[in-house]
Amino acid sequence: MSSRSFDVIVIGSGPGGEGAAMKCAKEGRSVCVVDQRHLVGGACTHTATIPSKALRHAIQRFVEMRHVPGFRASPDAQPSFGDLTRTASSVIARQTDMRQTFYERNKVEVVEGHARFLDANTLEVGQPKGAVDVLTAKAFIIASGSRPYHPPDVDFNHPCIYDSDTILRMEEMPQSMIVYGAGVIGCEWGSMFRMLGVKLNLINTRDKLLSFLDDEIVDALAYHLRDMGCLIRHNEEYERVEGQDDGVVLHLKSGKKIKSDVLLWANGRTGNTNDLGLEQLGIPVDSRGNIKVNEAYQTSVPHIYAVGDVVGFPALASAAYDQGRFAATHLVEGRLETKLVEDIPTGIYTSPEISSVGRTERELTKAEIPYEVGHAQFKSLARAQITGRTVGMLKILFHRETLELLGVHCFGDNASEIIHIGQAIMSQEGKANTLLYFVNTTFNYPTMAEAYRVAALNGLNRVF
């Protein structure tokens, strides 16, 4: 057993932990990062964001290649699902190597093992081979991430029942699939499998898809998922899941029964707080393992912070990184750098993808803010016509009197890239945040970015 002391210990090396560790280290603090994995990067790099987005890209390329003359004639041109998932391995390796250098360059010690609080200033770290480290620190930042939620009555050991982590280990392509849960993860995976031609039932426990998005974007997503051949069932809840030799039968409380080759459970995630020893410190955890924090990301014990998925919404890798820096800034400097967590864009990698920043029409109407709308349909843009990716639109919400940008919503190819132009203008102070920027700026032609000029002119035509 060894014992060492640090200024700050960070639990978890995902985006939240990395952001926190780098900020503390650069401010001259001695920092240690504890992670259960042998390699840094957290679930984001190894089981969630990076693998699934790399897989999505591989699927898109494969689907595009189907239209190449003579492609179908090659017997080797039909990869298994395992072949497609393995395309992510090189990306994961490069991401891991790059992130490892961050810790080495900033002299941050990384310890592998499971961390557990012995008291408010001491951690016990159980290493894989049985050794135990005792680490003490003046402050802690919990960035332990999350894992797929497993209801106790669903047998995840059955070979046909998967979650969003284990689906990456599936080898053969199923003919049919049930995706239970139509949140971000369910919609992303559902659209991927539909691109591959898998017969899909998407089970939504609510009355509409992704209700936190702008209604027009939600409607567009629902339309295009159905247009791809996805069957969406709203307001349904499972009664039981029956694993069989040749597949899975989902029994719904409404009386419906659905059978498919495999079931992907995508109904929520659970914070990785089990056996962290938080109970004895008086740090409350909710039913989904999430830690309650204040505006500075402090728990009920002020020198212990928590960031990322383990605090719940928005549970985005991009948000987690900023939350880590935000918490570390408060820890080191004692100030709230609130701009780091304002107007974080959402990036949802369905096909086509979705991204938004700022407020929705629903929110603006409820707040009685006089706004107007500008649209640009991708089908009218020359660049979209050239690439053949004409599905989608850009939507700008702006104050009809001051022309201040209030929200930007995009549905279509490269939406998560396109959104940042609007985000940059929205973040400007005073009169610099104006719709007129897009009217008075020359955009390259042909580009997708010129959608901003089209949408701005479209919106101005409604102002009188």
Side-chain angles (χ1 to χ4, degrees):
M1 180 182 291
S2 63
S3 179
R4 300 190 299 288
S5 294
F6 301 88
D7 292 327
V8 182
I9 294 176
V10 179
I11 303 174
S13 67
E18 181 184 304
M22 294 305 111
K23 173 64 177 177
C24 289
K26 290 179 187 299
E27 294 297 329
R29 302 304 193 267
S30 60
V31 183
C32 175
V33 170
V34 180
D35 197 290
Q36 291 202 98
R37 287 184 173 85
H38 174 61
L39 300 171
V40 299
C44 171
T45 300
H46 297 282
T47 61
T49 304
I50 297 302
S52 64
K53 278 40 174 191
L55 171 63
R56 175 180 179 267
H57 178 71
I59 292 171
Q60 285 180 320
R61 293 293 300 274
F62 170 63
V63 171
E64 289 170 357
M65 283 294 292
R66 281 176 169 170
H67 300 292
V68 175
F71 178 75
R72 289 182 178 275
S74 172
D76 300 322
Q78 302 296 323
S80 68
F81 188 74
D83 292 332
L84 291 169
T85 58
R86 280 186 283 276
T87 62
S89 59
S90 64
V91 181
I92 294 170
R94 290 199 298 272
Q95 285 284 308
T96 301
D97 290 346
M98 177 185 68
R99 289 188 149 70
Q100 184 64 43
T101 64
F102 296 162
Y103 294 101
E104 294 169 356
R105 192 165 61 236
N106 289 281
K107 297 180 172 58
V108 174
E109 183 173 345
V110 179
V111 175
E112 180 187 1
H114 176 76
R116 189 177 189 278
F117 282 95
L118 297 179
D119 59 48
N121 290 96
T122 310
L123 277 185
E124 178 185 74
V125 181
Q127 297 182 8
K129 293 183 179 179
V132 176
D133 276 342
V134 175
L135 309 176
T136 61
K138 300 171 187 174
F140 298 84
I141 299 176
I142 301 170
S144 50
S146 65
R147 63 187 184 277
Y149 170 65
H150 282 189
D153 58 342
V154 177
D155 179 15
F156 285 90
N157 292 318
H158 191 280
C160 298
I161 299 176
Y162 297 89
D163 62 29
S164 57
D165 285 357
T166 58
I167 195 72
L168 291 164
R169 299 198 290 269
M170 185 173 69
E171 281 293 328
E172 299 306 318
M173 197 80 69
Q175 295 296 310
S176 60
M177 170 180 279
I178 298 167
V179 176
Y180 186 84
V184 171
I185 294 172
C187 287
E188 287 184 346
W189 279 103
S191 64
M192 276 193 268
F193 278 102
R194 265 313 298 159
M195 280 195 287
L196 290 168
V198 176
K199 182 180 179 182
L200 193 83
N201 276 274
L202 180 61
I203 311 300
N204 186 17
T205 59
R206 302 184 180 186
D207 60 353
K208 61 163 52 177
L209 300 176
L210 308 180
S211 56
F212 61 90
L213 293 174
D214 187 87
D215 289 335
E216 195 170 4
I217 300 296
V218 172
D219 291 343
L221 173 64
Y223 170 83
H224 285 287
L225 282 175
R226 289 192 175 100
D227 189 54
M228 290 169 67
C230 175
L231 179 58
I232 305 172
R233 301 177 187 265
H234 294 296
N235 295 311
E236 297 280 9
E237 289 187 36
Y238 85 103
E239 185 175 79
R240 64 188 176 95
V241 177
E242 178 188 354
Q244 299 183 339
D245 292 341
D246 61 344
V248 182
V249 176
L250 178 66
H251 298 259
L252 298 171
K253 290 182 178 179
S254 63
K256 300 182 184 73
K257 291 192 294 185
I258 308 169
K259 185 173 183 179
S260 69
D261 294 339
V262 298
L263 180 141
L264 170 60
W265 188 275
N267 196 35
R269 294 181 69 84
T270 299
N272 291 325
T273 50
N274 52 306
D275 199 30
L276 267 181
L278 300 180
E279 317 80 27
Q280 63 187 22
L281 302 182
I283 297 176
V285 175
D286 67 18
S287 61
R288 283 293 179 98
N290 295 327
I291 301 172
K292 184 178 180 180
V293 292
N294 65 13
E295 70 279 1
Y297 290 88
Q298 291 171 294
T299 68
S300 57
V301 179
H303 71 278
I304 300 178
Y305 295 72
V307 298
D309 282 15
V310 80
V311 303
F313 184 85
L316 298 168
S318 54
Y321 191 89
D322 280 345
Q323 288 168 359
R325 289 195 298 144
F326 180 98
T329 298
H330 187 265
L331 189 161
V332 172
E333 303 176 26
R335 65 184 175 90
L336 295 175
E337 195 171 356
T338 54
K339 289 199 76 172
L340 280 177
V341 289
E342 288 179 356
D343 290 330
I344 292 174
T346 60
I348 301 171
Y349 295 88
T350 47
S351 295
E353 63 193 54
I354 298 168
S355 193
S356 64
V357 64
R359 285 178 281 185
T360 65
E361 285 201 65
R362 190 185 326 115
E363 291 167 340
L364 293 171
T365 299
K366 185 176 181 180
E368 298 182 348
I369 295 173
Y371 73 92
E372 199 45 88
V373 185
H375 286 97
Q377 300 294 332
F378 284 6
K379 64 184 179 182
S380 64
L381 301 178
R383 183 62 175 267
Q385 293 168 0
I386 291 168
T387 62
R389 296 173 178 176
T390 55
V391 171
M393 66 174 175
L394 176 70
K395 176 178 181 179
I396 301 176
L397 306 179
F398 62 95
H399 197 291
R400 64 172 294 116
E401 294 166 7
T402 66
L403 303 185
E404 172 192 3
L405 267 64
L406 303 171
V408 182
H409 307 274
C410 190
F411 174 71
D413 189 51
N414 282 318
S416 57
E417 300 282 357
I418 294 167
I419 200 73
H420 292 132
I421 300 171
Q423 180 192 27
I425 302 306
M426 274 186 62
S427 68
Q428 302 304 304
E429 306 227 344
K431 293 184 178 180
N433 175 5
T434 175
L435 187 75
L436 294 178
Y437 171 85
F438 302 122
V439 177
N440 299 326
T441 297
T442 301
F443 290 89
N444 283 331
Y445 178 84
T447 60
M448 297 304 293
E450 67 168 328
Y452 280 97
R453 180 180 57 81
V454 175
L457 291 170
N458 178 262
L460 284 174
N461 285 338
R462 295 193 174 91
V463 176
F464 57 89

